[in-house]
Amino acid sequence: MLALLLALVAMAAITTRHAAAQGPTDPPPPPEEPIYGLPFAEPPGPDTWNVTQWYGNTRFAYLMRRTFYGNGQGLHFGLDLGAPCGTEVIAIGDGIVTKIDAMEHGSGPHNLMIDHPEGYSSFYGHLLEPPRLYIGQEVHRGDVIALTGDPDLTCDSRPHLHLEIRNHWYNYAYNPVEFIDADWDSLALFGPRSSFSRDLDNPRRWVTPYDQPMTDFGGELLNNYLNAWPPDYSR
Amino acid sequence: MMRRLAALLLLLVLTACGVQAAGNDPPAPPPAQPAAEVAAAPSMAPAQIATVPGATPSLATATATVEPAPVLTRLTEPGCCVQPMWSPDGRMVLFIDRPDATAPTGIYGVSVEGGPVQLITERVAKTSPDGRYIVYLNESAQVVVEDLQTGEVWLIPSDRREPHFSPNSQRLVWTAETGSGAFSQRPSIVSVSEVNGQNAREVITVYGGGFVGWLDDDRMLVQGRIEESNGVLAEEALYAIDLLSGDMDQLAVSDRLRSVQPAPGGEWVFYAIAFDTDDPTRNGMWVVRADGSERHKLDVVGAAQWQDGSRLLIIPMEPGAPSHRVLRFDAETGEMEAITDPAQTPFRILSGDWQVSPTGEHIVFVSAEDLSLWVMTLPGADR
């Protein structure tokens, strides 16, 4: 009980501090160097995990820009890491649990939000079961916080972790690649091939895992291209 | 001359897949012109390559066993281009670009030997392997194939699904996913037609999959679950289907099949399996003969592309290593060899963006170090 009380006080203090430091329209800039770790303890591989969809203007997000990702400016506003159902997820940094199963943020069937003292929040989606944590609980980098699941609820369809980095108002999402210390170019060598949609009117923009725009939830579509490559055959 | 070159290269663009709001009467390709002069293209020629006795080097420590060592050549300025492609003769690297606000978007190209980047064509389109046809969405958002020799344009009954040309450019195939719900349960109808859209027919319905590649002009690879006679969906599998006889060979079984690639000529198939919890021994990278009679599990994971009909090039996934490296697996002999030694030929590929040339002589990649396109000339391509 005392621990819960202390955690609530700590969370309130953090929330107040963040509310004073930033508003919905001025999310903090991303860090100059990665400050967080990977959400898995095991090394990548065919038995453990791999990158399955980058953050940003991916080909899939472009095709789903008016549906899945319509509220996220047509961007894939997280990083997908494929993993067998039940894989342990670890906290990418120290923080306080602020939301559990907050379906207003999507990524069911279960999800988790952790606020970090640096001004950012990490969001873990498509979890197998409700995280066995409580609101206000303090977690540390590397703590096991959840188990991976499958948004299709089958565990053989597309089991993966959807990882987002947001501001504390949760209305902007960042590119997790900028926050997590990892050898992304080597991680890209196993799993689905990186694929970004291209605007033929500006074909150099947003075409690698590193040069993706922030997501302003509710903002206008960023990739509703007149001339896309590859084209959207279903349009 | 340059106009002919531009037209030829447009015809030969292989793997792209779309068109720039094309109508039925595209403008003729403009004369090729210098676009972005590339600074001197440096080469790195490793002085010497260590040789490891024995046929099966430990992959964790393998050093190069092939001489001469690969040579690296920078082709472009930093930041110009991603997703490089090859001209079918393997002599030119192609990419979509718009070098500056005053330049047109188009397919640009640079010789594999280096030199100036040239605009090849402003028309960006998916082209048949023989270069004769292009496929695109017309102004009514219909899928059409255009014969560049005759100017004929045909509607393709793919119901706005992307068609894929067969190796001889005479057939089209497309997958029409239907339904909703779990991706692994959605029915997908694989259909074929002649290149002009005639004689369209359904080949097979699979669940959670579809067409994944051509073995040759009459055989295709399809992945997914098929419905058994009792109405139950079988476990996901990879099938080779003969379009003439209707015969179907099962090549691999797993709910987690990925990255299927037939080798040129259709004798071998590469695939990967990840996260198969029913049988974890399936997890990894595999090469299987296209009739299913022979199979190799590779002692490495990473990115793979065929160099020729039986040799697979692999960039191992080794996070934290200062350099990427190239291995080569020979499906006929079952032997793996190192092609590069990181100490002699250091390179890093940006986010898996690399392509083997059609001749197997070169690899083009986007460098993670300087965001330029580089070419690696491979030894032993002509055996």
Side-chain angles (χ1 to χ4, degrees):
Chain A
M1 187 62 189
L2 180 60
L4 176 61
L5 185 61
L6 289 173
L8 288 171
V9 170
M11 184 179 66
I14 285 175
T15 303
T16 302
R17 186 167 70 247
H18 294 152
Q22 59 178 276
T25 58
D26 57 349
E32 293 185 1
E33 298 291 332
I35 56 176
Y36 299 132
L38 286 161
F40 299 118
E42 294 292 317
D47 296 302
T48 53
W49 63 273
N50 62 249
V51 176
T52 53
Q53 187 181 187
W54 297 106
Y55 168 96
N57 180 37
T58 64
R59 170 81 175 134
F60 183 71
Y62 168 72
L63 293 175
M64 300 293 168
R65 64 195 181 281
R66 296 192 185 91
T67 53
F68 280 9
Y69 305 117
N71 190 46
Q73 300 193 281
L75 305 175
H76 181 234
F77 40 84
L79 175 69
D80 284 354
L81 303 171
C85 273
T87 300
E88 290 184 339
V89 180
I90 60 176
I92 64 171
D94 297 347
I96 300 290
V97 175
T98 53
K99 292 191 176 189
I100 293 174
D101 284 359
M103 286 306 131
E104 69 271 23
H105 297 309
S107 291
H110 303 284
N111 61 43
L112 169 68
M113 187 82 78
I114 294 174
D115 279 8
H116 302 284
E118 297 83 9
Y120 313 108
S121 303
S122 55
F123 177 73
Y124 309 80
H126 305 319
L127 303 177
L128 184 65
E129 59 185 28
R132 297 175 184 181
L133 306 169
Y134 57 83
I135 304 297
Q137 183 171 342
E138 187 176 346
V139 297
H140 298 283
R141 178 170 171 163
D143 287 352
V144 175
I145 52 174
L147 301 175
T148 59
D150 177 354
D152 292 339
L153 309 180
T154 69
C155 283
D156 62 14
S157 182
R158 45 189 182 120
H160 69 277
L161 173 70
H162 174 81
L163 175 67
E164 297 178 17
I165 308 285
R166 298 195 182 200
N167 62 334
H168 279 162
W169 288 84
Y170 311 134
N171 59 334
Y172 285 89
Y174 302 86
N175 184 354
V177 165
E178 298 180 66
F179 287 72
I180 295 176
D181 186 16
D183 181 355
W184 296 109
D185 288 320
S186 293
L187 294 174
L189 293 172
F190 183 67
R193 197 156 186 190
S194 169
S195 178
F196 292 94
S197 180
R198 301 182 72 178
D199 178 4
L200 288 181
D201 295 323
N202 191 359
R204 294 188 179 189
R205 187 174 60 166
W206 304 337
V207 291
T208 80
Y210 306 101
D211 69 341
Q212 299 300 316
M214 283 180 64
T215 302
D216 177 3
F217 289 101
E220 64 182 18
L221 292 177
L222 295 179
N223 54 1
N224 197 27
Y225 301 143
L226 186 61
N227 298 311
W229 182 264
D232 179 2
Y233 280 86
S234 65
R235 70 184 166 95
Chain B
M1 177 65 186
M2 296 306 289
R3 189 183 177 97
R4 287 180 57 196
L5 174 65
L8 176 64
L9 286 169
L10 167 63
L11 293 174
L12 298 181
V13 172
L14 274 176
T15 55
C17 46
V19 73
Q20 181 179 336
N24 292 344
D25 300 298
Q33 54 189 334
E37 193 77 30
V38 178
S43 294
M44 290 191 293
Q48 191 173 5
I49 285 295
T51 302
V52 176
T56 312
S58 162
L59 294 176
T61 58
T63 52
T65 57
V66 177
E67 295 184 28
V71 174
L72 291 171
T73 305
R74 185 164 70 87
L75 292 183
T76 66
E77 63 186 66
C80 73
C81 25
V82 295
Q83 300 169 6
M85 305 170 286
W86 285 96
S87 62
D89 64 2
R91 304 309 306 164
M92 184 165 272
V93 173
L94 308 173
F95 50 89
I96 297 170
D97 195 19
R98 185 181 187 191
D100 59 61
T102 64
T105 295
I107 295 174
Y108 289 75
V110 58
S111 166
V112 71
E113 312 291 345
V117 173
Q118 295 184 320
L119 174 63
I120 304 302
T121 175
E122 291 184 44
R123 192 162 194 197
V124 182
K126 178 177 181 174
T127 308
S128 62
D130 67 359
R132 178 168 173 174
Y133 309 100
I134 57 174
V135 60
Y136 55 87
L137 287 169
N138 66 13
E139 291 169 344
S140 302
Q142 298 167 308
V143 178
V144 297
V145 164
E146 179 177 336
D147 184 334
L148 293 172
Q149 286 187 6
T150 67
E152 289 179 278
V153 175
W154 304 296
L155 289 177
I156 306 303
S158 65
D159 193 21
R160 295 198 295 183
R161 269 73 174 201
E162 180 185 3
H164 306 275
F165 291 102
S166 62
N168 69 357
S169 307
Q170 293 305 302
R171 281 201 175 104
L172 298 171
V173 60
W174 60 88
T175 301
E177 181 186 276
T178 61
S180 57
F183 282 94
S184 62
Q185 309 287 329
R186 294 183 186 179
S188 295
I189 302 169
V190 178
S191 301
V192 296
S193 76
E194 305 303 322
V195 70
N196 60 4
Q198 297 297 305
N199 300 318
R201 65 182 175 93
E202 295 180 6
V203 175
I204 191 172
T205 296
V206 294
Y207 294 77
F211 167 84
V212 288
W214 289 97
L215 285 170
D216 54 38
D217 299 319
D218 298 321
R219 295 182 302 155
M220 64 168 62
L221 294 169
V222 170
Q223 174 186 338
R225 300 160 188 258
I226 59 173
E227 190 172 348
E228 297 177 327
S229 55
N230 58 4
V232 174
L233 293 184
E235 192 173 10
E236 184 174 342
L238 176 65
Y239 301 96
I241 298 177
D242 189 314
L243 293 175
L244 300 179
S245 68
D247 291 345
M248 194 162 80
D249 292 326
Q250 188 182 78
L251 302 185
V253 178
S254 174
D255 286 334
R256 310 300 308 157
L257 275 162
R258 296 294 179 268
S259 307
V260 176
Q261 282 183 57
E267 187 69 21
W268 293 94
V269 178
F270 164 80
Y271 64 92
I273 295 175
F275 320 140
D276 188 328
T277 53
D278 294 334
D279 183 359
T281 64
R282 294 169 172 167
N283 290 333
M285 305 212 312
W286 297 81
V287 169
V288 61
R289 199 178 281 278
D291 61 4
S293 64
E294 187 179 353
R295 189 182 313 271
H296 302 279
K297 185 174 186 180
L298 308 186
D299 187 24
V300 65
V301 294
Q305 292 182 38
W306 290 101
Q307 183 179 20
D308 54 33
S310 61
R311 295 186 298 175
L312 187 71
L313 297 175
I314 302 157
I315 315 286
M317 178 177 67
E318 298 168 324
S323 170
H324 292 158
R325 61 194 180 116
V326 183
L327 305 176
R328 181 164 59 201
F329 178 76
D330 189 322
E332 296 290 349
T333 65
E335 292 182 356
M336 183 85 80
E337 62 181 343
I339 298 299
T340 66
D341 175 357
Q344 301 278 354
T345 313
F347 68 100
R348 286 181 66 80
I349 298 173
L350 182 81
S351 66
D353 203 350
W354 64 297
Q355 281 288 338
V356 179
S357 69
T359 61
E361 295 176 275
H362 307 285
I363 290 172
V364 62
F365 63 93
V366 181
S367 167
E369 306 292 348
D370 66 6
L371 305 184
S372 301
L373 291 184
W374 286 73
V375 157
M376 178 184 293
T377 301
L378 299 169
D382 52 341
R383 62 173 186 177

